[in-house]
Amino acid sequence: MAASTRVQVISLYKMMLTESKKFPSYNYRTYALRRIRDAFRANRTVEDPKTVERLMVEGQQTLALIQRQVAIGKMYETQKIVVE
């Protein structure tokens, strides 16, 4: 993987984690964090540039989805549970 691609992947990873931490619901927050970490770990060894590009596009779409869901979750916030 090229150095610039590696930087982009790490940047996307950090942005996804940061956005996921904004979920108002504990369950959604922990689920999103776990899914992001697992997906990046599973694809850690991918070297093919086309596959990396496809995964980057999927990651950017997922980031947009997370941002939308966080905004919606904040509009309809519920009471905090004991775990939070």
Side-chain angles (χ1 to χ4, degrees), residues 7 13 19 28 35 37 48 51 62 69 80-81 83:
V7 170
Y13 178 71
E19 286 299 317
Y28 288 127
R35 286 288 308 260
R37 288 185 184 119
D48 180 42
T51 306
T62 304
Q69 289 303 117
K80 299 276 184 194
I81 59 175
V83 177

Side-chain angles (χ1 to χ4, degrees), residues 1-50:
M1 186 180 334
S4 63
T5 306
R6 182 174 173 79
V7 170
Q8 290 174 340
V9 170
I10 292 171
S11 174
L12 177 63
Y13 178 71
K14 288 180 180 179
M15 287 189 319
M16 290 176 79
L17 289 179
T18 302
E19 286 299 317
S20 294
K21 289 177 184 175
K22 294 179 183 177
F23 272 112
S25 171
Y26 172 80
N27 291 330
Y28 288 127
R29 187 170 52 246
T30 56
Y31 176 75
L33 291 170
R34 186 175 64 246
R35 286 288 308 260
I36 292 166
R37 288 185 184 119
D38 290 347
F40 275 84
R41 280 187 193 126
N43 295 309
R44 169 181 260 164
T45 60
V46 174
E47 293 291 331
D48 180 42
K50 291 197 183 291

